[in-house]
Amino acid sequence: MTTLAKSEKDRVVIFDTTLRDGEQCPGATMTFEEKLDVAEMLDTMGVDIIEAGFPIASEGDFAAVQEIARRTKNAVVCGLSRASFKDIDRCAEAIKPAKRGRIHTFLSTSPVHMKYKLQKEPHEVFEMVVAQVTRARSHTDDVEWSAEDGTRTEHDFLCRCVEAAIKAGATTINIPDTVGYTVPEEYAALFKMVRERVPNADKAIFSAHTHDDLGMAVANALASVNAGVRQIECTINGIGERAGNASLEEVVMAMKVRGDIFPVWNNIEATMLTRASKLVSAATSFPVQYNKAIVGRNAFAHESGIHQDGMLKNAQTYEIMTPDSVGVSKTSLVMGKHSGRAAFRSKLKEMGYEIGDNQLEDAFNRFKALADRKKHVYDEDIEALVDEEIATAQDRIKLVSLTVIAGTMGPQSATATLDIDGKHQTVQSSGNGPVDAIFNCIKLVVPHQATLELYQVHAVTEGTDAQAEVSVRLSDQGRSVTSKGADPDTLVASAKAYLGALNKLQARGARTHAQHSAQ
Ligand code: KIV
Ligand code: ZN
């Protein structure tokens, strides 16, 4: 790895759009609180610009962008807007509380988009570019303009629009590969051509925004760096429209590990990549594929005898980066039923958790209960347990106890005791299988219309005594939320996950109601 003297011209700005392009993909919806947690993580790990949402899209998006703008300490907070003045003004209002705010405004420039989507002639689009950037610039001096479907745009027209956008005040020019169509050489050549032909190109930072439809999002983004691009737009775990966006962790580690090819630097604290990946996966309930580069659970696992032998002799034989460089820590404290509070506290610290005394006490009691039932308590078990503790801390409805009768002789039945605002209620119900019986019990105590969109089980670790982690997605009146529950008993985990999702829906409903009454 090459050590570089850091100069501003070699800096690649990391623009994270997990909360906008990422959240836009079907099923990845996050709650208000989840968005705040993700934004805080992005800010802490050194992301330069957080695209927090699309404020005109909904009241919820507006509120999230505004709150993230209020809370973010270091990063620039950015909102997206189309070309209309109403969009741009709404976006400006949302980012107003930010220490540093950016308006990102975009317009399609390719023949196919102009003809069919916008139904406008190129000269009309050109005028709109000037107007949208001028309007955005009247609110802030940090304006990004994107030529949507830039990689399928006719070159002369693209150069004219870019020149006009910079003249109108755009400080960042993004040329997105909206449909994931380009290839690395072509994308790099496009930036080179624009930077050479546009006379005022030196007045703006050029940005790459890539999609993974042909599996080249990361490669395309990286190729553009050597053509002078100094901002990369990416998302944690590569989530995003359709096949997703360039994954932040891959972009960052490729530049870090191959500093000889990419003589640039960025501000990201790479040891936080794994935690960020887990947080986004938990918030969206999008599992991370096992063999995903950098953050997949197999990314540092060596199974074959030849590889294991090499690794034992020297880790560099099969590892181009160390697991701890991306935050996968090798266990230094092995936890079991004899571990005390102090060891548990220091384990959580080692894993990157900072929780208050009350939460720590609850998590510790649950850890002890788990250690009594399970021979080996792995880091993944503790992580599942603490994540659940944090996620359910504010829940109104909690599971107290559950008994299920299952087996070949149906109907299966369940008896559940729930705690609602401190009052216990016990009900019994049957169903088409034990999970259905449990969910029917919950419906008896908390009647609701939400429909179950996803029910997924996976084992947190290996072995028949492993904890089950259940993900549940509920949807109600166009809103959908996801939640997870973990327990060595799959049915208990199912009940917890369902209640978690129900709590989120209710909290969201209460907040929307409060917002409406305040208007
Ligand atoms: O893919 C795209 O073109 C976008 C723009 C809004 C930047 O996401
Ligand atoms: Zn996009």
Side-chain angles (χ1 to χ4, degrees):
M1 204 185 302
T2 324
T3 313
L4 293 161
K6 291 180 174 179
S7 95
E8 269 311 300
K9 75 173 183 30
D10 297 327
R11 175 189 187 154
V12 172
V13 168
I14 300 296
F15 176 115
D16 180 280
T17 182
T18 306
L19 296 170
R20 199 279 296 167
D21 216 324
E23 216 242 353
Q24 224 164 284
C25 70
T29 323
M30 292 175 235
T31 63
F32 182 78
E33 286 75 17
E34 284 163 346
K35 287 182 188 177
L36 299 187
D37 288 347
V38 170
E40 191 183 344
M41 171 73 79
L42 297 173
D43 194 28
T44 315
M45 71 192 278
V47 161
D48 298 286
I49 296 142
I50 299 172
E51 187 162 55
F54 196 172
I56 197 92
S58 69
E59 291 295 327
D61 252 43
F62 180 89
V65 175
Q66 195 175 47
E67 193 53 32
I68 291 168
R70 246 181 229 129
R71 293 181 185 210
T72 299
K73 296 191 177 82
N74 310 305
V76 172
V77 177
C78 172
L80 183 70
S81 68
R82 289 168 298 190
S84 89
F85 288 1
K86 202 169 149 217
D87 266 45
I88 296 168
D89 296 350
R90 188 84 175 130
C91 182
E93 208 185 323
I95 61 157
K96 208 187 237 160
K99 283 199 185 107
R100 290 184 298 151
R102 170 179 293 191
I103 296 178
H104 176 191
T105 182
F106 70 100
L107 189 60
S108 292
T109 49
S110 67
V112 64
H113 275 221
M114 289 192 290
K115 181 166 179 194
Y116 296 105
K117 190 180 121 173
L118 300 178
Q119 298 182 341
K120 297 223 180 284
E121 291 299 322
H123 74 270
E124 295 174 285
V125 170
F126 181 85
E127 279 158 24
M128 285 168 75
V129 172
V130 176
Q132 73 183 133
V133 175
T134 309
R135 182 70 167 204
R137 216 24 230 259
S138 73
H139 293 292
T140 168
D141 55 12
D142 189 347
V143 173
E144 172 169 339
W145 179 73
S146 284
E148 192 186 3
D149 204 16
T151 51
R152 294 193 298 169
T153 295
E154 196 260 311
H155 287 187
D156 284 347
F157 186 60
L158 180 62
C159 288
R160 284 184 51 222
C161 289
V162 168
E163 183 182 351
I166 297 174
K167 203 164 160 212
T171 43
T172 299
I173 295 292
N174 184 36
I175 306 183
D177 182 30
T178 304
V179 290
Y181 176 72
T182 198
V183 301
E185 293 76 12
E186 183 185 60
Y187 200 42
L190 181 68
F191 280 104
K192 191 165 176 289
M193 181 277 297
V194 173
R195 291 182 66 236
E196 277 170 7
R197 282 181 51 185
V198 170
N200 53 2
D202 60 322
K203 307 251 173 338
I205 288 184
F206 280 81
S207 165
H209 177 110
T210 52
H211 280 272
D212 212 28
D213 301 67
L214 292 174
M216 285 186 276
V218 171
N220 289 337
L222 290 171
S224 74
V225 168
N226 287 341
V229 160
R230 286 295 178 266
Q231 173 177 291
I232 294 185
E233 305 198 353
C234 42
T235 60
I236 302 289
N237 296 337
I239 62 168
E241 279 279 6
R242 307 179 310 279
N245 291 56
S247 118
L248 182 147
E249 55 279 6
E250 293 176 27
V251 164
V252 165
M253 289 315 286
M255 290 195 289
K256 193 168 170 162
V257 173
R258 297 308 307 271
D260 53 334
I261 305 289
F262 307 108
V264 288
W265 60 278
N266 64 75
N267 238 352
I268 301 295
E269 176 50 60
T271 54
M272 292 184 70
L273 291 173
T274 301
R275 275 217 56 71
S277 162
K278 288 186 172 157
L279 179 70
V280 170
S281 169
T284 55
S285 285
F286 267 35
V288 176
Q289 109 200 27
Y290 283 5
N291 59 333
K292 163 92 176 58
I294 319 295
V295 292
R297 71 196 269 179
N298 288 356
F300 296 95
H302 303 273
E303 178 85 28
S304 89
I306 298 171
H307 285 211
Q308 283 181 348
D309 181 53
M311 283 295 294
L312 289 171
K313 288 174 177 147
N314 184 331
Q316 284 182 9
T317 49
Y318 287 103
E319 260 175 20
I320 55 166
M321 57 199 144
T322 60
D324 34 306
S325 68
V326 299
V328 178
S329 52
K330 289 270 174 287
T331 303
S332 55
L333 275 171
V334 180
M335 303 298 289
K337 65 177 175 185
H338 301 298
S339 308
R341 248 181 216 82
F344 186 68
R345 188 192 290 272
S346 105
K347 176 68 171 180
L348 293 192
K349 205 162 169 223
E350 184 186 294
M351 293 171 73
Y353 286 106
E354 275 177 43
I355 57 176
D357 285 348
N358 288 347
Q359 265 185 351
L360 183 96
E361 194 56 29
D362 289 347
F364 178 67
N365 290 336
R366 290 181 56 190
F367 155 72
K368 283 300 239 188
L370 182 67
D372 266 341
R373 294 165 73 183
K374 199 170 178 289
K375 207 164 148 200
H376 302 289
V377 179
Y378 300 99
D379 283 6
E380 289 90 335
D381 288 315
I382 297 179
E383 200 169 70
L385 187 150
V386 179
D387 283 345
E388 192 187 287
E389 187 62 43
I390 294 170
T392 58
Q394 310 294 333
D395 283 358
R396 281 188 56 226
I397 316 161
K398 292 191 165 108
L399 180 70
V400 178
S401 66
L402 179 70
T403 312
V404 181
I405 300 174
T408 49
M409 301 287 284
Q412 289 73 19
S413 68
T415 308
T417 302
L418 304 185
D419 177 318
I420 307 181
D421 297 328
K423 288 202 184 99
H424 286 194
Q425 272 193 57
T426 302
V427 283
Q428 194 182 16
S429 188
S430 57
N432 189 11
V435 175
D436 192 40
I438 295 167
F439 293 176
N440 287 340
C441 279
I442 297 174
K443 279 183 205 146
L444 281 179
V445 185
V446 191
H448 58 273
Q449 301 298 321
T451 48
L452 182 67
E453 279 189 342
L454 171 109
Y455 173 81
Q456 220 170 46
V457 185
H458 89 267
V460 173
T461 56
E462 280 142 35
T464 47
D465 68 345
Q467 282 199 95
E469 191 167 60
V470 175
S471 301
V472 159
R473 181 157 68 233
L474 292 181
S475 109
D476 190 22
Q477 296 170 18
R479 297 171 304 168
S480 73
V481 294
T482 11
S483 188
K484 284 184 178 177
D487 199 274
D489 184 320
T490 311
L491 296 175
V492 174
S494 304
K496 286 180 179 175
Y498 193 98
L499 285 173
L502 201 56
N503 274 301
K504 278 188 189 178
L505 266 184
Q506 293 206 340
R508 214 192 244 198
R511 199 175 44 251
T512 314
H513 181 72
Q515 270 167 7
H516 285 181
S517 336
Q519 277 163 9

